[in-house]
């Protein structure tokens, strides 16, 4: 397993499909995952420190896990099958629950849990961005600092 960090979310044009971009912590591969608008908003809210008046679904799940004293230990992106990513939530003392990567990432950000990915998935779907394209990644980060969660609303 390789640990990943969340670079951010953006909307892929011309399809207007949101993606979350993850980066290998101790490597040079990126993992783009196409996600839904609701999950993109949840991830963007958390990254920007937006606190809604009432809890969103991922906030509710965080609060339930805390109330049950069953902490989220990690998120593991385990498989890519037919262009669909699969993930597991590792909860408490060994409980493993299957979940969509987008929901898993949104929850991991809220509780500070590590996000990991199998070498097989990174080999299959990870991309290396050449040095000359690092400027593009920096522009993407600047974009993320200016984008609002409302930009992902359908």
């Amino acid at each position: 397993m390789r640990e990943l960090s969340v670079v951010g979310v953006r909307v892929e044009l011309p399809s207007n499909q949101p993606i979350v971009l993850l980066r290998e912590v101790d490597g040079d591969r990126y993992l783009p995952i196409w996600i839904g608008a609701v999950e993109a908003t949840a991830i963007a809210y958390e990254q920007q420190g937006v606190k809604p008046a009432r809890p969103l679904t991922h906030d509710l799940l965080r609060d339930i896990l805390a109330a049950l004293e069953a902490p989220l230990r990690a998120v593991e992106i385990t498989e890519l099958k037919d262009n669909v990513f699969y993930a597991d939530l590792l909860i408490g003392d060994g409980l493993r629950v299957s979940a969509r990567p987008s929901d898993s990432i949104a929850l991991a950000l809220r509780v500070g849990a590590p996000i990991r990915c199998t070498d097989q998935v990174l080999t299959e779907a990870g991309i290396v961005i050449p040095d000359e394209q690092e400027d593009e990644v920096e522009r993407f980060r600047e974009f993320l600092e200016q984008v609002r969660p409302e930009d992902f609303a359908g």
Side-chain angles (χ1 to χ4, degrees):
M1 288 280 175
R2 301 285 186 163
E3 188 165 345
L4 304 175
S5 63
V6 179
V7 176
V9 292
R10 70 174 284 229
V11 176
E12 182 76 7
L13 297 175
S15 66
N16 285 334
Q17 179 71 36
I19 65 167
V20 61
L21 185 63
L22 306 169
R23 182 175 184 178
E24 201 174 11
V25 170
D26 293 322
D28 57 359
R29 292 179 288 186
Y30 290 82
L31 185 65
I33 301 177
W34 279 257
I35 63 175
V38 171
E39 293 79 15
T41 300
I43 291 168
Y45 269 4
E46 189 61 27
Q47 284 196 305
Q48 294 178 3
V50 174
K51 301 297 179 202
R54 299 293 300 143
L56 300 177
T57 303
H58 303 96
D59 302 316
L60 175 63
L61 186 51
R62 174 201 60 211
D63 296 346
I64 289 171
L65 290 174
L68 294 173
E69 297 181 5
L72 178 65
R73 303 278 184 208
V75 164
E76 294 182 350
I77 301 170
T78 58
E79 191 175 9
L80 174 61
K81 185 169 40 175
D82 299 324
N83 293 320
V84 176
F85 288 90
Y86 293 82
D88 288 335
L89 301 173
L90 278 59
I91 301 170
D93 295 326
L95 181 63
R96 185 177 285 266
V97 177
S98 180
R100 296 183 302 181
S102 55
D103 291 323
S104 302
I105 292 164
L107 182 58
L109 287 172
R110 281 162 172 74
V111 302
I115 301 167
R116 302 183 191 121
C117 184
T118 64
D119 285 322
Q120 180 180 346
V121 169
L122 273 172
T123 298
E124 191 173 339
I127 57 173
V128 175
I129 298 177
D131 290 340
E132 60 269 9
Q133 290 183 3
E134 284 292 329
D135 288 342
E136 180 72 22
V137 173
E138 186 56 37
R139 285 195 299 275
F140 177 57
R141 288 185 181 149
E142 290 171 7
F143 163 80
L144 290 174
E145 291 174 5
Q146 297 174 11
V147 72
R148 298 177 325 236
E150 295 80 28
D151 295 336
F152 297 104

